[in-house]
Amino acid sequence: MPSAVIKADIANIPFVGPLGYQTGCLYFDRGSKDDKRDLLAMTKERQIKAEKGELPPLIICAEGGTSNGKQLIAFKKGCFVGLRAI
C-alpha cells in the first residue's frame, strides 16, 4: 500500500492521523522552511528504500494539494527536485 506526503495538520485528526503513521506517510508543516528542507531529504531517502523494496512507494501530489476538480493548479517542484527517475 503506498503512502503519501501530507500536511502536518492531518496528523491531529482522529483515526486518520494514526492511520497515516501506520502506513508510513511523511508529515510536514507547509509554513516551516526547515520542515520543507527536511522533507526533501526524507523523500530522497524514502525513494531509495522504495526502490530496494524496503518501504512502500510514496505518493506526491505535483500540485501540492487539491483543487475543485475542474482544473489543474500550478505544479510545485518541491519534492521532485533531485529525485532520480524510476
Side-chain angles (χ1 to χ4, degrees):
M1 170 189 250
S3 54
V5 175
I6 52 181
K7 64 182 181 175
D9 298 343
I10 302 296
N12 299 323
I13 298 175
F15 182 71
V16 176
L19 182 63
Y21 283 112
Q22 288 280 326
T23 59
C25 289
L26 299 180
Y27 291 99
F28 79 106
D29 180 358
R30 288 183 178 181
S32 169
K33 289 188 180 194
D34 290 338
D35 266 16
K36 288 179 183 178
R37 185 175 39 254
D38 292 345
L39 181 63
L40 181 58
M42 287 188 299
T43 304
K44 286 180 181 180
E45 180 181 332
R46 178 62 171 269
Q47 174 69 17
I48 292 166
K49 288 183 178 185
E51 288 175 4
K52 293 178 181 178
E54 297 173 7
L55 289 174
L58 189 62
I59 297 171
I60 302 172
C61 296
E63 295 172 298
T66 58
S67 68
N68 62 7
K70 297 185 188 257
Q71 63 187 18
L72 290 175
I73 54 179
F75 284 13
K76 310 257 190 268
K77 61 182 177 181
C79 286
F80 298 103
V81 174
L83 289 180
R84 296 182 286 166
I86 296 175

